[in-house]
Amino acid sequence: MSDQKQNLTNAEMRQVEKLPSNIKRRVLTRFVFGGATGSLNYEKMMALAYCYSVLPAMKFLYRQNPDGLQKALQTQLAFFNTNGIMAPFVIGADLAIEESQGVNSLPTVTGIKTSLMGPLAGIGDTLLLSTPGAIFGGIAASMAVKGNPVGVILWLVVMVAIKCLVIPLYKRDIIRALNLSRHCETS
């Protein structure tokens, strides 16, 4: 009986539907503007923000499989910590895998999240936060000492621009990841 139930679940998961673009946009918006550090805690770091961000996609992908949704959300609540600007790349890979394989992909999703969060944190912290922050922060401080407030405004504009310029990359790479996962599935 349990084999029949397992086969039914696998058959249901094979009926893969593409995530609509409005759900992908909602996931990205939730993470960029509401999630990244909004729920940081010492036990699981960014896991709650990650789960909150992907919740619309999980509800869509598992809408006919409540047990699968529960398992997927438990997987999403596992420890996660990386650079907030780089995390949507992990989210894109996660959604691509879950979209193509459903509940059977959960161990793979855990592996992807675990293996990408460290390297992406190093890249994001160094190239997107520390280096530009130090350079433009130094310029801003130099200008502020001379009584010019434009330096502080310049620093804020640059730091916000870096985050905003990365958003199109998220969208492009999420789409590529989703297309790649479909290509791999058909091969």
Side-chain angles (χ1 to χ4, degrees), residues 33-52:
F33 296 111
T37 57
S39 64
L40 191 66
N41 65 62
Y42 290 113
E43 182 185 359
K44 295 189 177 185
M45 302 305 275
M46 300 168 77
L48 189 58
Y50 190 99
C51 186
Y52 167 76

Side-chain angles (χ1 to χ4, degrees), residues 22-96:
N22 66 332
I23 290 180
K24 292 180 209 172
R25 205 173 12 257
R26 192 176 324 147
V27 168
L28 179 62
T29 304
R30 278 179 159 213
F31 191 82
V32 170
F33 296 111
T37 57
S39 64
L40 191 66
N41 65 62
Y42 290 113
E43 182 185 359
K44 295 189 177 185
M45 302 305 275
M46 300 168 77
L48 189 58
Y50 190 99
C51 186
Y52 167 76
S53 300
V54 299
L55 186 60
M58 297 296 107
K59 284 182 177 179
F60 178 83
L61 292 173
Y62 297 103
R63 65 187 177 277
Q64 296 175 355
N65 185 354
D67 292 335
L69 176 62
Q70 184 178 7
K71 289 176 187 175
L73 291 177
Q74 287 174 344
T75 299
Q76 301 303 348
L77 284 170
F79 178 85
F80 184 75
N81 186 32
T82 192
N83 177 277
I85 296 173
M86 301 299 280
F89 293 109
V90 180
I91 291 173
D94 174 353
L95 294 181

Side-chain angles (χ1 to χ4, degrees), residues 27-181:
V27 168
L28 179 62
T29 304
R30 278 179 159 213
F31 191 82
V32 170
F33 296 111
T37 57
S39 64
L40 191 66
N41 65 62
Y42 290 113
E43 182 185 359
K44 295 189 177 185
M45 302 305 275
M46 300 168 77
L48 189 58
Y50 190 99
C51 186
Y52 167 76
S53 300
V54 299
L55 186 60
M58 297 296 107
K59 284 182 177 179
F60 178 83
L61 292 173
Y62 297 103
R63 65 187 177 277
Q64 296 175 355
N65 185 354
D67 292 335
L69 176 62
Q70 184 178 7
K71 289 176 187 175
L73 291 177
Q74 287 174 344
T75 299
Q76 301 303 348
L77 284 170
F79 178 85
F80 184 75
N81 186 32
T82 192
N83 177 277
I85 296 173
M86 301 299 280
F89 293 109
V90 180
I91 291 173
D94 174 353
L95 294 181
I97 293 168
E98 287 204 52
E99 182 183 46
S100 66
Q101 298 176 8
V103 75
N104 296 330
S105 68
L106 295 179
T108 305
V109 167
T110 301
I112 292 283
K113 286 172 61 177
T114 303
S115 63
L116 288 178
M117 66 179 157
L120 288 178
I123 293 168
D125 289 346
T126 303
L127 296 179
L128 299 174
L129 291 180
S130 300
T131 304
I135 292 170
F136 288 99
I139 293 170
S142 174
M143 292 174 80
V145 166
K146 295 176 183 173
N148 189 349
V150 174
V152 176
I153 295 168
L154 173 70
W155 180 79
L156 287 172
V157 167
V158 167
M159 297 310 286
V160 170
I162 287 171
K163 192 167 189 173
C164 291
L165 290 174
V166 176
I167 289 174
L169 296 176
Y170 299 152
K171 291 180 181 178
R172 185 193 70 206
D173 288 340
I174 287 171
I175 290 167
R176 280 187 184 165
L178 290 170
N179 290 336
L180 178 63
S181 70

